[in-house]
Amino acid sequence: MSTGDDRLVQSVDPDHPANLIPSLCAKFWTLGWVTGTGGGASIRDDEHVYIAPSGVQKELMKPSDLYVLSLPQTLARHGESGDSDGPIRPSSRVYLRSPARFKPSQCTPLFLSAFTRRGARCCIHTHSAHAVLVTLILEQQGASEFRINNIEQIKGFARGYPHAEVGNLGYHDTLRIPVIENTAHEEDLTEFLEEAMERYPDAYAVLVRRHGVYVWGNSVEQAKGQCESLDYLFQIAVEMKKLGIPWESDIKPTLPRKSIKGQ
Amino acid sequence: MSTGDDRLVQSVDPDHPANLIPSLCAKFWTLGWVTGTGGGASIRDDEHVYIAPSGVQKELMKPSDLYVLSLPQTLARHGESGDSDGPIRPSSRVYLRSPARFKPSQCTPLFLSAFTRRGARCCIHTHSAHAVLVTLILEQQGASEFRINNIEQIKGFARGYPHAEVGNLGYHDTLRIPVIENTAHEEDLTEFLEEAMERYPDAYAVLVRRHGVYVWGNSVEQAKGQCESLDYLFQIAVEMKKLGIPWESDIKPTLPRKSIKGQ
Amino acid sequence: MSTGDDRLVQSVDPDHPANLIPSLCAKFWTLGWVTGTGGGASIRDDEHVYIAPSGVQKELMKPSDLYVLSLPQTLARHGESGDSDGPIRPSSRVYLRSPARFKPSQCTPLFLSAFTRRGARCCIHTHSAHAVLVTLILEQQGASEFRINNIEQIKGFARGYPHAEVGNLGYHDTLRIPVIENTAHEEDLTEFLEEAMERYPDAYAVLVRRHGVYVWGNSVEQAKGQCESLDYLFQIAVEMKKLGIPWESDIKPTLPRKSIKGQ
Amino acid sequence: MSTGDDRLVQSVDPDHPANLIPSLCAKFWTLGWVTGTGGGASIRDDEHVYIAPSGVQKELMKPSDLYVLSLPQTLARHGESGDSDGPIRPSSRVYLRSPARFKPSQCTPLFLSAFTRRGARCCIHTHSAHAVLVTLILEQQGASEFRINNIEQIKGFARGYPHAEVGNLGYHDTLRIPVIENTAHEEDLTEFLEEAMERYPDAYAVLVRRHGVYVWGNSVEQAKGQCESLDYLFQIAVEMKKLGIPWESDIKPTLPRKSIKGQ
């Protein structure tokens, strides 16, 4: 039997977080992002945080499988914990609703970082093979940053947290995604994720070496769109590597004819 | 709230453009052509042009998300603009129906070029990874034209605009698709697209470097069929490159035995 | 308007050829076998031959799009044509039912060869990229035969026409598929296909260089199963080539322990 | 007509083994695991063993296509056979229900080994191309063991039969999957499979050279999750090989900052 208020995950609205997380995860499963119960997704709806549990078959998840956490109560308890500048500890989390079986996802503190440090509304974590391969290629090069420019899909990314008002990246801009090293326990990634967020205030995503990627957004649509665009770029990057084509290039803007004529 | 006449996008006919664009885009999403809200599609129905908006999740699009533009009114206003030999400017566009949220697609002037310069009925724009990789391989070679011959699927292409009456390409014909350089702003591609259309009067498609491809047709079926055939050829071309097999070959026609015997 | 007897393509039985061809072709489309209206399928039901038309979107085909041909009447007319040892000419074909739009498939005489020369019940033609790539790799080697052994899936093939009673190939057997050169006109392939059938009396499939593959079977299930197995082997063969692993190997049978002990 | 008690395969519960095997196999078909009637799946429900038949189209299987075997009666008869330390012979199998057409799967004795030697509840056999390619790469290296470490998805595996209580593998652990050589007849694999089970008491899977993989679990969910995770790792391993990245690496654990500070 579940604990807490089941009505929090009962809605006839397909866009309610409790319905959206299962439909998103089923879609992600077909894309190979959440294979073998890996990966996950979380949506914040002002005060409530909806999270897929650990170990669930993502393509078969039901609304009743979800956890619901109170963000204000969790933050209050976190503030009282005497460790309020670090990641939110499990003991600070206040669950308003827990499913009968399953355990909380180990991704929980990482999702909470996206919500509290970036004001995100949705955070997606994938184990996409493309993401993992990109971190392996970078490892060969001793690099901890994925950089790519001059690919149209780069426009699919917002310019980042403090600059949200200035729109998306441009075609000639360089997309930079930090790579953090994987830890034995997923929760231990949290402080490294938060550190990367500080070093890359523009980033909407963090790669985890030999593990996958965390992507967030100011809305579910933005998080999903950025996650799709990023996976597409990772896929192309792996193929570019096989074909001997560098990820960064020095391409001069093509001016429209009128600009050339000075019109 | 939407503006204009909503009845323009309300039909029970699954082949009505307002229903066809969403069903096509959902299919294209599964093919990886319109990932992360990239790409798009437009259908012309004599006087009306139906266009998918910017930034929509293509696999979830609804008829009510579409723009409808009046082609004769747009052309009339364009003619009065004093710049009538160039691409149609946004200020000339006459929308009969606009969705509540969303902005017009940046692909709009490119779709209009296919409709006005080629008399096309449908134009599809994909960000297919295969298309992008082909433009990258060609860039390595300093080339601005994709050429392939002696692959059966080449027969899937019409012989081009001025020769529509002479049917499709043959097996031994060389398919030539021009590549134009990408611009920072998608609208600025328009004049380069039109220029490529002039240089390649036979072409039903234009590749955009590091971006994707525009494909059109005299019907929805033809545009879609040519887009599928082209993506298939791009996919094979990338694999051929990995295997060291050239895209063009000098193969002599195999004559049927009867021809050999002179019968 | 269609001509002939529409009842030939109207049945509530999902296993009726008129329903089976559309459902098979929709499935094949998702596998990338009949992209861009390429490829096709035909089923023989004793006296009737059901054939997908030319130029149809394979994933959207309907029973009413099908041609139905009378095999005995076609053969009788062919016998009277004075050219009865060669492929069946279009003028000999007797259609009992033709769809309103569409033209007969250029694959028609090739399907008929499988039915008349091999007694097949179903013939599938794909443009699978894997098949095309295999023919290109063989071309590099100057070869006109695909050979692979010691892969379990080889057991998915029957031992061939004259030996149907002796079951399927074994793990250590070598699967041999002839490759014929492509012709400018698909009908002209017929005599080369028939010639290959004579040279390879065991084969249930013929590859066509730079084009695709024809696969047949004594039942719809057998033709489909062999086509799937073959495509799987082509896919593995392309990857083996990339990894530098030869398609044929000299592996000694592993005897079960009991055999070793002489039990 | 079927023989035995048809009620054994009739249930309205979607989680009943008779319904679960067809829905799992349809899903596996879309993943390319059971192409061309290859591969299979079996579920044990205490005393009953449900098995997909040989030669069935896996994506179209129905509950009525299944065999049901009595495990206690089969074991009793096996005990009386005088060969009770070896694999269970076909003559010892007691079927409670057999479908009208089809023959028993050649995988039957291998599934029974997982149930009787490991207490598994579900066993899946795939012909996944990724699995076959991994065995081919290992063969080039003269190796009979797949080893990979430092990939997050490794956590998707239980620590193995005798250690089930100690949970799953960790990120830094090395996943080891034995490879056995293929035999001409699938049943003859059984003793080699059982031998590998003895040598690898921790393993939940055995690769079969040039054939595929057997994966089992203490529940359907665990078997399926491990099979998905393994296929994902095989896919990444093949790509790593192409990119020149070794499967095993010597990575030092990344300690959380707090641990570094001694907190």
Side-chain angles (χ1 to χ4, degrees):
Chain A
M1 251 186 43
S2 65
T3 59
D5 189 350
D6 280 349
R7 286 171 303 180
L8 287 166
V9 295
Q10 292 162 348
S11 167
V12 292
D13 177 8
D15 287 334
H16 185 281
N19 295 324
L20 214 42
I21 289 178
S23 67
L24 284 171
C25 283
K27 191 177 284 185
F28 297 164
W29 187 86
T30 66
L31 296 171
W33 292 0
V34 292
T35 297
T37 82
S42 180
I43 296 175
R44 174 171 75 90
D45 180 7
D46 289 336
E47 304 203 338
H48 297 152
V49 172
Y50 299 79
I51 313 187
S54 177
V56 67
Q57 298 181 73
K58 293 293 187 302
E59 83 279 22
L60 300 176
M61 211 195 310
K62 295 183 298 290
S64 58
D65 295 337
L66 296 175
Y67 285 90
V68 185
L69 190 144
S70 163
L71 195 58
Q73 292 177 39
T74 295
L75 287 173
R77 201 184 281 180
H78 178 56
E80 295 159 7
S81 74
D83 190 28
S84 61
D85 62 333
I88 295 169
R89 295 182 168 191
S91 58
S92 296
R93 296 182 209 154
V94 179
Y95 286 105
L96 302 178
R97 199 267 170 186
S98 299
R101 47 189 207 126
F102 298 116
K103 288 186 295 184
S105 168
Q106 290 213 16
C107 308
T108 305
L110 296 121
F111 291 149
L112 290 176
S113 295
F115 299 147
T116 59
R117 307 251 160 174
R118 292 296 177 95
R121 288 277 170 171
C122 176
C123 187
I124 299 165
H125 171 46
T126 88
H127 284 195
S128 160
H130 304 132
V132 171
L133 289 169
V134 159
T135 69
L136 289 166
I137 293 168
L138 288 167
E139 189 182 76
Q140 277 187 312
Q141 303 166 354
S144 293
E145 186 182 77
F146 172 67
R147 285 198 302 274
I148 195 163
N149 66 4
N150 294 311
I151 301 285
E152 178 72 8
Q153 195 78 26
I154 289 168
K155 289 184 181 171
F157 291 87
R159 215 169 256 286
Y161 171 59
H163 310 298
E165 67 285 356
V166 294
N168 278 25
L169 290 178
Y171 170 62
H172 295 297
D173 287 329
T174 299
L175 175 71
R176 293 168 204 276
I177 308 285
V179 183
I180 62 175
E181 302 307 316
N182 199 26
T183 54
H185 301 287
E186 192 146 11
E187 305 100 335
D188 293 339
L189 283 174
T190 315
E191 55 186 309
F192 298 103
L193 181 87
E194 296 193 348
E195 208 175 79
M197 283 172 166
E198 273 171 47
R199 274 185 295 125
Y200 289 79
D202 264 14
Y204 271 93
V206 172
L207 278 161
V208 185
R209 186 95 66 200
R210 295 168 168 275
H211 180 153
V213 67
Y214 279 87
V215 185
W216 55 88
N218 303 321
S219 66
V220 173
E221 289 190 12
Q222 193 194 39
K224 171 178 172 283
Q226 292 186 156
C227 199
E228 285 183 31
S229 293
L230 206 45
D231 202 60
Y232 164 98
L233 288 170
F234 292 155
Q235 178 192 0
I236 284 182
V238 172
E239 293 300 297
M240 286 172 90
K241 176 73 182 167
K242 286 186 199 162
L243 292 162
I245 300 168
W247 296 345
E248 288 181 278
S249 55
D250 183 23
I251 291 178
K252 298 282 175 297
T254 302
L255 296 176
R257 204 53 40 99
K258 293 184 181 175
S259 307
I260 294 169
K261 295 185 202 154
Q263 294 180 351
Chain B
M1 251 185 42
S2 66
T3 59
D5 188 351
D6 280 350
R7 286 170 303 179
L8 287 166
V9 294
Q10 291 163 347
S11 167
V12 293
D13 177 7
D15 287 335
H16 185 280
N19 295 323
L20 214 43
I21 290 178
S23 68
L24 284 172
C25 283
K27 190 177 284 185
F28 296 164
W29 187 86
T30 68
L31 296 171
W33 292 0
V34 293
T35 297
T37 82
S42 180
I43 295 175
R44 175 171 74 90
D45 180 7
D46 288 337
E47 303 204 338
H48 296 153
V49 172
Y50 299 79
I51 312 187
S54 177
V56 68
Q57 298 180 74
K58 293 294 188 299
E59 83 278 21
L60 300 176
M61 211 196 310
K62 296 183 297 291
S64 58
D65 295 337
L66 295 176
Y67 284 90
V68 185
L69 191 143
S70 164
L71 194 58
Q73 293 177 38
T74 294
L75 286 174
R77 201 184 281 180
H78 178 56
E80 297 158 7
S81 74
D83 190 30
S84 58
D85 61 333
I88 294 170
R89 297 184 167 188
S91 58
S92 296
R93 296 181 209 153
V94 178
Y95 286 105
L96 302 179
R97 198 267 171 186
S98 299
R101 46 191 208 125
F102 298 118
K103 287 186 295 183
S105 168
Q106 292 214 13
C107 308
T108 304
L110 297 121
F111 292 149
L112 291 176
S113 294
F115 299 148
T116 60
R117 307 250 160 174
R118 292 296 176 95
R121 289 275 170 173
C122 175
C123 188
I124 299 166
H125 171 45
T126 88
H127 284 194
S128 160
H130 304 131
V132 171
L133 289 168
V134 159
T135 69
L136 289 166
I137 292 168
L138 287 168
E139 187 181 78
Q140 278 186 310
Q141 302 166 355
S144 292
E145 187 184 76
F146 172 67
R147 285 198 301 274
I148 195 163
N149 66 3
N150 295 311
I151 301 285
E152 178 72 7
Q153 196 77 28
I154 289 168
K155 290 183 182 170
F157 290 87
R159 216 170 256 284
Y161 171 58
H163 311 298
E165 69 283 359
V166 295
N168 279 24
L169 290 178
Y171 170 62
H172 295 297
D173 288 328
T174 299
L175 175 70
R176 294 169 204 274
I177 308 285
V179 183
I180 61 175
E181 302 307 316
N182 199 26
T183 54
H185 300 287
E186 193 146 12
E187 305 101 332
D188 293 339
L189 283 175
T190 315
E191 56 186 307
F192 297 103
L193 181 87
E194 297 193 348
E195 208 174 79
M197 284 172 166
E198 273 171 47
R199 274 184 296 124
Y200 290 79
D202 265 13
Y204 271 93
V206 171
L207 278 161
V208 185
R209 187 95 66 201
R210 295 167 168 274
H211 179 154
V213 68
Y214 279 87
V215 185
W216 55 89
N218 302 322
S219 66
V220 173
E221 288 190 14
Q222 192 194 40
K224 171 178 170 284
Q226 292 186 156
C227 199
E228 285 182 31
S229 293
L230 206 45
D231 203 61
Y232 165 97
L233 288 170
F234 292 155
Q235 179 192 0
I236 283 181
V238 172
E239 293 301 298
M240 287 172 90
K241 176 73 182 169
K242 287 185 198 161
L243 292 162
I245 300 168
W247 296 345
E248 288 181 279
S249 55
D250 183 22
I251 291 178
K252 298 282 174 297
T254 302
L255 298 176
R257 203 54 40 98
K258 293 183 181 175
S259 307
I260 295 168
K261 295 185 203 156
Q263 295 178 351
Chain C
M1 251 186 45
S2 65
T3 58
D5 189 350
D6 282 347
R7 286 170 303 179
L8 287 166
V9 295
Q10 291 163 347
S11 167
V12 294
D13 177 6
D15 287 335
H16 185 281
N19 295 324
L20 214 43
I21 289 179
S23 68
L24 284 171
C25 283
K27 192 178 282 185
F28 296 165
W29 187 86
T30 68
L31 296 171
W33 292 359
V34 291
T35 297
T37 81
S42 179
I43 295 175
R44 175 170 73 90
D45 179 8
D46 288 336
E47 304 203 337
H48 297 154
V49 172
Y50 300 78
I51 312 187
S54 177
V56 68
Q57 298 180 72
K58 294 293 188 299
E59 82 279 20
L60 300 176
M61 212 195 310
K62 296 183 297 290
S64 58
D65 295 336
L66 295 175
Y67 284 89
V68 186
L69 192 143
S70 164
L71 195 57
Q73 293 177 37
T74 295
L75 286 173
R77 201 184 283 181
H78 178 57
E80 297 158 6
S81 74
D83 190 29
S84 59
D85 62 332
I88 294 170
R89 296 185 168 187
S91 58
S92 296
R93 296 181 208 153
V94 179
Y95 286 105
L96 302 178
R97 199 266 171 187
S98 300
R101 43 188 211 128
F102 298 117
K103 288 185 294 184
S105 168
Q106 293 214 12
C107 308
T108 303
L110 297 122
F111 291 149
L112 291 176
S113 294
F115 299 148
T116 59
R117 307 250 159 174
R118 292 298 176 94
R121 288 276 171 173
C122 176
C123 187
I124 299 166
H125 170 45
T126 88
H127 284 194
S128 160
H130 304 131
V132 171
L133 289 168
V134 160
T135 68
L136 288 166
I137 292 168
L138 287 168
E139 188 182 76
Q140 278 187 311
Q141 303 166 355
S144 291
E145 187 183 77
F146 173 67
R147 285 198 302 274
I148 194 163
N149 66 2
N150 294 310
I151 302 286
E152 178 71 8
Q153 195 76 28
I154 289 168
K155 289 183 182 170
F157 290 86
R159 218 170 255 283
Y161 170 60
H163 310 299
E165 68 284 358
V166 295
N168 279 24
L169 291 177
Y171 170 63
H172 295 296
D173 287 329
T174 299
L175 175 70
R176 292 169 205 274
I177 308 285
V179 183
I180 61 174
E181 302 307 314
N182 200 25
T183 54
H185 301 287
E186 192 145 13
E187 304 100 333
D188 293 339
L189 284 174
T190 314
E191 56 186 308
F192 298 103
L193 182 88
E194 296 193 348
E195 209 175 80
M197 284 172 166
E198 274 170 46
R199 275 185 294 126
Y200 289 80
D202 265 12
Y204 271 94
V206 171
L207 277 162
V208 185
R209 186 95 64 201
R210 296 168 169 271
H211 180 155
V213 68
Y214 279 85
V215 186
W216 57 88
N218 303 321
S219 66
V220 173
E221 289 190 14
Q222 193 195 40
K224 170 177 171 283
Q226 291 186 157
C227 199
E228 285 182 31
S229 294
L230 205 46
D231 203 60
Y232 164 98
L233 288 170
F234 292 154
Q235 179 192 1
I236 283 181
V238 172
E239 293 301 298
M240 287 172 89
K241 176 72 181 168
K242 287 185 198 162
L243 293 161
I245 300 167
W247 296 345
E248 288 182 279
S249 55
D250 182 23
I251 292 177
K252 299 280 174 298
T254 302
L255 297 175
R257 204 55 38 101
K258 293 182 180 177
S259 308
I260 294 167
K261 294 184 202 159
Q263 294 178 355
Chain D
M1 250 186 45
S2 66
T3 60
D5 189 348
D6 281 348
R7 286 171 303 179
L8 286 166
V9 295
Q10 292 163 347
S11 167
V12 293
D13 177 7
D15 287 334
H16 185 281
N19 295 324
L20 214 43
I21 289 179
S23 67
L24 283 172
C25 282
K27 192 178 283 186
F28 296 165
W29 187 85
T30 68
L31 296 171
W33 292 0
V34 291
T35 297
T37 81
S42 180
I43 296 175
R44 175 171 73 90
D45 179 7
D46 288 337
E47 304 203 337
H48 297 153
V49 173
Y50 299 79
I51 313 188
S54 177
V56 68
Q57 298 180 73
K58 293 293 186 301
E59 82 280 21
L60 299 176
M61 213 196 307
K62 296 182 297 291
S64 59
D65 295 337
L66 295 175
Y67 284 91
V68 186
L69 191 144
S70 164
L71 195 57
Q73 293 178 40
T74 294
L75 286 174
R77 199 184 283 180
H78 178 57
E80 297 158 6
S81 74
D83 190 28
S84 61
D85 60 333
I88 295 168
R89 295 184 170 190
S91 58
S92 296
R93 296 180 209 154
V94 179
Y95 286 104
L96 302 178
R97 198 267 171 187
S98 299
R101 45 189 209 128
F102 299 117
K103 288 186 293 184
S105 168
Q106 292 213 13
C107 308
T108 304
L110 296 121
F111 291 148
L112 291 176
S113 295
F115 299 148
T116 59
R117 307 251 159 174
R118 292 297 176 94
R121 290 274 170 173
C122 176
C123 188
I124 299 166
H125 171 44
T126 88
H127 284 194
S128 160
H130 304 131
V132 171
L133 288 169
V134 159
T135 70
L136 288 167
I137 292 168
L138 287 167
E139 188 181 76
Q140 277 187 310
Q141 302 166 356
S144 292
E145 186 182 78
F146 173 68
R147 285 198 302 274
I148 195 163
N149 66 3
N150 294 310
I151 301 285
E152 179 72 8
Q153 196 77 28
I154 289 167
K155 290 183 180 171
F157 291 86
R159 216 171 256 284
Y161 170 60
H163 309 299
E165 68 285 358
V166 294
N168 279 25
L169 290 178
Y171 169 63
H172 296 297
D173 288 329
T174 298
L175 175 70
R176 293 169 204 275
I177 308 287
V179 183
I180 62 175
E181 302 307 315
N182 200 28
T183 54
H185 301 287
E186 191 146 12
E187 305 99 335
D188 293 339
L189 284 175
T190 315
E191 57 185 308
F192 298 103
L193 181 88
E194 295 193 349
E195 209 176 79
M197 283 172 166
E198 272 170 48
R199 276 184 294 125
Y200 289 80
D202 265 12
Y204 271 95
V206 172
L207 277 161
V208 185
R209 187 94 66 199
R210 296 168 168 272
H211 179 154
V213 69
Y214 279 86
V215 185
W216 56 88
N218 303 320
S219 65
V220 173
E221 289 190 12
Q222 193 195 39
K224 171 178 170 284
Q226 292 185 158
C227 200
E228 285 182 31
S229 293
L230 205 45
D231 202 61
Y232 164 98
L233 288 170
F234 292 154
Q235 178 192 1
I236 284 181
V238 172
E239 294 299 299
M240 288 172 88
K241 176 72 181 168
K242 286 186 198 162
L243 292 161
I245 300 168
W247 297 345
E248 289 181 278
S249 56
D250 182 24
I251 291 177
K252 299 280 174 298
T254 302
L255 297 176
R257 204 53 41 98
K258 292 182 181 178
S259 308
I260 294 168
K261 293 184 202 157
Q263 293 178 354

